[in-house]
Amino acid sequence: MQLWDSRHFERIFVDNVPLLDVRAPVEFAQGAFPCAVNMPILTDKEREQVGICYKTQGPKAAVALGHQLVSGEVKSSRVSAWQRFFAEHPHGALYCFRGGQRSRIAQQWLQEIGVSVPRIQGGYKAMRRFLMTRLAELCASDNFVVIGGRTGTGKTRLLQAFAKAVDLEAAANHRGS
């Protein structure tokens, strides 16, 4: 099964590779990449149940509970949704929080129906760490000018006059920058 490591991270973001995030919705809501779609392997409630089982009974029991919760029609429905995602985005990849159990299981279930997709080694945590490190490197190697001001003062028009500019307001879909 194909595994993408940190050597692929820059291309993932530069090329806007479609990403299937199998983390629980609560995790996705706390942080996600612009090119990611959340199709969780476990709902928030299922994740909570598995987590409690992990703490009280250990990892084997937690994995067994996860397989019990996501079986039959529930499993089939989730795998079908992932299959449709990769049919629409054949150059995509999948990940979970650390690139471990959840994404490995999702990758295996897809492989069982003949869909081969790459899994991101280290998951969300590794890709976020890569972006933070890369941002720090870029900031250290270049001169940045931050433009701020009140609404309606022409900041966007000013940014458009520069060849190398990042409009954080637009990137944040005007939800604040």
Side-chain angles (χ1 to χ4, degrees):
M1 291 191 207
Q2 192 176 7
L3 190 63
W4 285 0
D5 61 20
S6 59
R7 293 173 294 177
H8 295 89
F9 290 175
E10 188 160 346
R11 291 278 28 115
I12 288 170
F13 294 109
V14 169
D15 294 343
N16 289 315
V17 170
L19 297 172
L20 179 65
D21 184 328
V22 296
R23 296 177 300 153
V26 67
E27 295 171 287
F28 189 80
Q30 291 173 348
F33 304 115
C35 48
V37 172
N38 185 228
M39 293 184 182
I41 193 167
L42 297 170
T43 65
D44 291 335
K45 184 177 179 183
E46 292 163 347
R47 176 178 170 263
E48 181 181 11
Q49 291 174 299
V50 169
I52 290 168
C53 182
Y54 183 90
K55 288 179 185 176
T56 60
Q57 299 174 41
K60 286 185 180 180
V63 170
L65 176 60
H67 281 285
Q68 179 185 342
L69 293 170
V70 185
S71 62
E73 186 54 41
V74 171
K75 175 183 172 183
S76 179
S77 174
R78 292 179 191 171
V79 173
S80 292
W82 301 337
Q83 181 182 24
R84 286 189 302 277
F85 175 87
F86 287 110
E88 293 173 18
H89 308 286
H91 301 293
L94 72 89
Y95 68 93
C96 63
F97 186 66
R98 288 184 301 270
Q101 283 281 25
R102 293 178 287 177
S103 60
R104 187 177 303 118
I105 291 168
Q107 185 184 40
Q108 177 185 336
W109 288 349
L110 284 164
Q111 187 72 42
E112 288 170 2
I113 61 166
V115 179
S116 181
V117 299
R119 179 171 50 93
I120 308 291
Q121 183 177 22
Y124 173 82
K125 192 172 182 180
M127 289 190 295
R128 185 179 185 283
R129 185 174 46 247
F130 165 80
L131 288 174
M132 299 300 287
T133 301
R134 191 72 180 109
L135 179 61
E137 292 168 357
L138 290 170
C139 288
S141 69
D142 216 338
N143 292 321
F144 284 87
V145 175
V146 178
I147 299 170
R150 299 178 67 85
T151 300
T153 58
K155 298 181 299 291
T156 301
R157 280 194 315 272
L158 181 61
L159 285 175
Q160 291 169 345
F162 292 94
K164 293 174 79 175
V166 177
D167 185 346
L168 295 177
E169 190 78 22
N173 292 319
H174 301 281
R175 292 179 297 181
S177 51

